[in-house]
Amino acid sequence: MNEDPLLDDEVRRVSRRSFLWAGLAVGGAAGVWQAIVRSPRLKGMLAPLRAVNDFNGALWQRLFREGALAPTFDKSLAGARFNGNVGLGSPLDPAAWRLRVDGLQSSDRVLTLDDIRALPRTEHTTELKCVEGWSQIVTFAGVRMLDFVTAYGPRNPVDLPPFVWMETPDGRYYVGLDTPSAIHPQTLLAYEMNGHLLEPKHGAPLRLAMPVKYGFKNIKRIGLIRFTAERPRDYWQEDGYDWYAGL
Ligand SMILES: Nc1nc2c(c(=O)[nH]1)N[C@H]1C(S)=C(S)[C@@H](COP(=O)(O)O)O[C@H]1N2
Ligand SMILES: [Mo]
């Protein structure tokens, strides 16, 4: 979550007496996020975060900076840069594309892009940061994962499994995510980029746009979303990068 070893120690110490952190660390993570993001705002900050911030100022401020929201930018700054085509090799037929959803309810689901587009649309302009050392401001629009699990997930979000796995339709690119990050309020299942439908090289018809993680977690051309109890594999983590890959 952060790279400061001293802060890490402090976090570990504080976590023993913190219901919030304990909630994030164990299975109740999703429920905690829901409680946080649905709460009223106090002084521009979500109320539970304000409470923990008052409780342990500097530390919590760093853990949940700005209510854990990544910075947003003016649309006029948005541009595009391309990187990574693993799993995008085959020609795309948008009409034939389906999203398989697994582990959210007792039976699996197969969704069309229209099913996704029927959910509330959210747009944001954020920075895509590649571990290779560049970043690009991009405007993405689509459906928040939070709205997606609200529509298709268990009645009680506390019942969400702790991890999420996503892969391309051909299975060649895949990412593993912790559920709190996967349902972070800025995590989008995006179908538009910079005001247009996604281009194939940027992940048409549906990609992940999550500014709280490095670019490599932002999987393009999602074919399967699976909620799971076990920490899933991750394409770039297998090549030596950090599994969590948070920013
Ligand atoms: N399917 C797939 N998704 C992927 C990749 C890839 O190789 N295949 N590369 C990742 C990496 S390393 C980055 S930085 C971003 C880049 O997204 P962009 O090409 O839209 O800028 O896509 C990510 N998603
Ligand atoms: Mo990347």
Side-chain angles (χ1 to χ4, degrees), residues 83 129-132 134 214-216 236:
N83 193 43
K129 295 187 182 177
C130 177
V131 282
E132 289 163 17
W134 54 269
Y214 273 111
F216 73 83
W236 281 109

Side-chain angles (χ1 to χ4, degrees), residues 79-88 128-132 134 136 138 140 167-170 172-175 193 198-199 201-203 207-208 214-222 235-236 241:
R81 179 163 174 165
F82 162 76
N83 193 43
N85 59 4
V86 180
L88 309 182
L128 181 80
K129 295 187 182 177
C130 177
V131 282
E132 289 163 17
W134 54 269
Q136 173 67 56
V138 190
F140 284 112
E167 66 175 15
T168 51
D170 66 5
R172 290 189 192 201
Y173 196 84
Y174 41 88
V175 296
M193 178 175 159
L198 271 181
E199 288 174 45
K201 67 179 182 181
H202 291 297
R207 73 170 295 166
L208 204 57
Y214 273 111
F216 73 83
K217 295 285 190 184
N218 291 236
I219 180 174
K220 300 187 276 193
R221 200 192 283 192
I222 304 168
Y235 186 89
W236 281 109
Y241 287 107

